[in-house]
Amino acid sequence: MASEHDIGGPSGKYVGRRLRRIEDARLIAGRGRYLADLATRDTLHGAFVRSTQAHARLGAIDVEAALGVAGVLAVLTGNDLPVLAAPLPALATPDPIFAAATNFASSDARLPCLPTERVHYVGQAIAVVVATSRRIAEDAAELVEVQYEPLPAVLDASFALSPDAPVIHPHLQDNEAAHIVISFGDLAEARERAALVVADQYRVGRHGAAPLECRGVMALVDDRRSRIEVWTSTQIPHLVRQAICAVTGWEEDDVRVSAPEVGGGFGTKANVYAEEIVLPVVAKALRRNVIWSEDRLEHLTASAQGRDQEHHASLAVDEDGLILAWEDDFVVDVGAGSLWTAGIIANTAIHLMGPYRIPAFRASGRAAYTTKTIVAQFRGAGRPEACFALERSLDRAADKLGLSRIEIRRRNLLAEGEFPYSRPIPYRDGVPIRYDGRDYRACLDACLDLLPEGAAGRLQSEHSTMRIGHGVAAYIEATGRGPWETGRVLLTPAGRFEVAAGCASAGQGHETTLAQIAADILCVSPTEIHVVVGDTDAIAEGMGTFASRSMVTAGNAVAMAAERLVDKARTLAAARLGTDEDISLGVEGFATPNGGSISWKELAEELKMGGLLAEKGPLEGISRYEPATVTWTMGVHAAVVSVDPETG
């Protein structure tokens, strides 16, 4: 019986086939190794003393009682290790062309890894206790006494931007973290022509991601290589290494960052955290391996959150419901700070345009510092908020005009013959926006075929005691984001293959998908390929997994690397077979038109010491894929929701 990994699927290809995930065998059997599984008996444990104040000046930090606990080796603050008083670097910087076109500007909160003067949110790390067990470290952390001089808390973003608000970061003049303005078309003329203008305020509350595995970091002292190894539950190991080196001044060769199995990320782990700097600094100072595993309370309190936006929107339409102008003034609450502020506010402004014909448009956004938990770029990072404001405005306009909510969308969605559809502004990478779809209206119709508009009425007649409603919404999304990603494919001495990429899996199945891509090019089974992601040792440069980018960027990088490997191997195969004829690659290996052949395993043997091609080895292909810009996609969702009026 043929295996699911045998050649012979559609067109003999693996990409597009439904395969059992390679990584699932060990994960389902409980053989996966997550961050907390890595500690040994000799590993020290860290626990963080965290702020109980939203905003306060720091006074004395009394650590004597904690140091007196048996098993405690150290209690360290930013004063003890001054390097930890340095701030983390930003992770997102827009292209200068985009910044100029959108009047974008931002400030830096300069949040230190361990503050010495002021705390800015509940949960901010102040000190780290290092002990022989987690229990001892946590108990001792409760004995650390911190003196606070409370300062006014600022919990409302709009108030934070007012002249009356106390300034949260003393090195700044105000609490504005960033601003942006995007506009085109004649707004005044559109308003004059409008048969209807609907204006409203929309609010999207603060969210927190809740992966099954909380965050965690382990730092190991590698005396043999004179370096620090950092294992962290992250989506962006290369960016974590970059931040560690930026803060400490260490060289990249002195630091390895690797992600073990990651039990969910959702973008909250696509961030660099103070703990990821503190642990390696402490490990190096103590010359001991140290681990910290976040508990759920810490995660809900101190891990980066998202959303928290307020929109003041105005939609102008004509008597047929066609959009004439769309305007939105929005405020983003980034808490005490964000390394992704630029990405969040830009994402929101750009995606406010939606998948519709909008002749006149203005989006004005401001990001505000408040004394809430820090914010990261996750789960759409501004896109759902923008979609919500536009789609609810369309609903309101449809209701007032007497149109169905589906019909107003059908009339405004871009349709076949209108693509490519350009917008007169650049994307965040500086490249002019050009929607590259085919027929957005057809997508709406395909969705309604699955869940027709009359479904709500039919269900209402069947369930007369229920309140039943029907909703539909469309969205636009810039996906496959660069700026680049790297891939490497190596022929091993055993004649198998190792694939490495700069992405990092948090449950997406990269070991299977990247193996599929490489297998098609190498003409082998995916089971012949070992995939390594999320490790700076496996590949020198990388960006990570976020923004729906991994298969576009890392997938293409791996494909290009595999093609380079095949090109090199073809040349070596020709030399080994003593021919100048064209050599083809198939499931049996390389072959000449006259019947000569050499398999991958045979080629690997020849590349070993003593083989005829030994001086040519090892054989690998490395490539960087740089997309010219993003790909624009869209989708439509329809839902029928029932509510029991008696129980809610």
Side-chain angles (χ1 to χ4, degrees), residues 278-465:
V278 172
L279 264 287
V281 169
V282 169
K284 188 169 185 177
L286 299 179
R287 307 305 302 171
R288 293 286 300 275
N289 301 339
V290 186
I291 190 171
W292 161 76
S293 295
E294 183 183 58
D295 63 32
R296 186 59 66 181
L297 178 60
E298 281 183 296
H299 181 81
L300 294 173
T301 308
S303 282
Q305 299 169 355
R307 309 284 183 252
D308 210 349
Q309 295 192 12
E310 187 174 297
H311 291 251
H312 296 263
S314 174
L315 179 69
V317 297
D318 67 12
E319 60 275 8
D320 296 319
L322 295 178
I323 298 171
L324 299 176
W326 166 232
E327 300 175 74
D328 188 7
D329 295 288
F330 65 93
V331 175
V332 181
D333 186 333
V334 296
S338 174
L339 305 181
W340 293 104
T341 297
I344 296 168
I345 192 171
N347 257 1
T348 306
I350 290 169
H351 289 84
L352 275 164
M353 294 183 291
Y356 304 103
R357 272 176 249 95
I358 299 179
F361 172 74
R362 182 184 63 83
S364 174
R366 300 177 75 191
Y369 295 120
T370 62
T371 55
K372 296 180 187 175
T373 304
I374 57 173
V375 164
Q377 183 172 275
F378 67 81
R379 305 312 293 159
R383 295 168 181 149
E385 297 92 314
C387 177
F388 174 59
L390 176 53
E391 294 299 304
R392 289 299 292 149
S393 295
L394 283 168
D395 286 347
R396 288 205 61 213
D399 293 347
K400 288 184 176 293
L401 289 172
L403 288 173
S404 79
R405 294 178 173 186
I406 290 172
E407 183 57 30
I408 197 170
R409 288 169 172 82
R410 179 177 284 112
R411 293 181 183 185
N412 286 286
L413 281 169
L414 296 165
E416 190 173 15
E418 296 183 83
F419 294 93
Y421 187 80
S422 296
R423 303 287 199 180
I425 57 171
Y427 183 64
R428 290 163 53 186
D429 54 15
V431 178
I433 291 174
R434 191 176 77 156
Y435 293 177
D436 47 4
R438 180 177 176 183
D439 189 345
Y440 292 173
R441 192 180 295 161
C443 187
L444 171 67
D445 293 335
C447 183
L448 295 177
D449 286 342
L450 298 173
L451 189 61
E453 185 174 5
R458 176 175 56 79
L459 289 170
Q460 186 69 75
S461 64
E462 296 172 1
H463 305 277
S464 58
T465 62

Side-chain angles (χ1 to χ4, degrees), residues 6-14 17:
D6 288 340
I7 293 285
S11 305
K13 298 292 186 182
Y14 287 105
R17 291 177 61 186

Side-chain angles (χ1 to χ4, degrees), residues 101-121:
T102 62
N103 192 35
F104 173 84
S106 63
S107 63
D108 187 352
R110 297 185 198 167
L111 286 176
C113 298
L114 292 180
T116 57
E117 298 179 358
R118 182 184 294 221
V119 291
H120 298 89
Y121 61 96

Side-chain angles (χ1 to χ4, degrees), residues 196-325:
L196 172 69
V197 176
V198 291
D200 214 332
Q201 178 178 338
Y202 301 103
R203 170 84 194 204
V204 179
R206 179 166 281 237
H207 292 192
L212 287 177
E213 180 203 30
C214 295
R215 296 186 295 119
V217 185
M218 185 169 76
L220 298 88
V221 180
D222 187 344
D223 287 320
R224 186 169 59 88
R225 297 189 184 184
S226 298
R227 70 176 186 175
I228 298 292
E229 287 195 6
V230 180
W231 291 80
T232 177
S233 185
T234 184
Q235 298 168 236
I236 50 171
H238 288 83
L239 297 184
V240 170
R241 181 181 64 174
Q242 181 178 304
I244 291 171
C245 294
V247 172
T248 63
W250 301 343
E251 297 295 333
E252 288 193 351
D253 288 346
D254 299 331
V255 184
R256 175 197 183 186
V257 175
S258 183
E261 312 283 7
V262 175
F266 312 114
T268 196
K269 293 181 183 176
N271 196 52
V272 179
Y273 288 92
E275 295 90 347
E276 291 170 313
I277 314 295
V278 172
L279 264 287
V281 169
V282 169
K284 188 169 185 177
L286 299 179
R287 307 305 302 171
R288 293 286 300 275
N289 301 339
V290 186
I291 190 171
W292 161 76
S293 295
E294 183 183 58
D295 63 32
R296 186 59 66 181
L297 178 60
E298 281 183 296
H299 181 81
L300 294 173
T301 308
S303 282
Q305 299 169 355
R307 309 284 183 252
D308 210 349
Q309 295 192 12
E310 187 174 297
H311 291 251
H312 296 263
S314 174
L315 179 69
V317 297
D318 67 12
E319 60 275 8
D320 296 319
L322 295 178
I323 298 171
L324 299 176

Side-chain angles (χ1 to χ4, degrees), residues 15-36:
V15 172
R17 291 177 61 186
R18 184 177 181 180
L19 303 183
R20 290 181 183 172
R21 299 200 328 170
I22 294 170
E23 51 269 78
D24 283 357
R26 71 173 184 276
L27 296 176
I28 292 172
R31 296 194 302 271
R33 286 176 63 78
Y34 294 83
L35 193 283

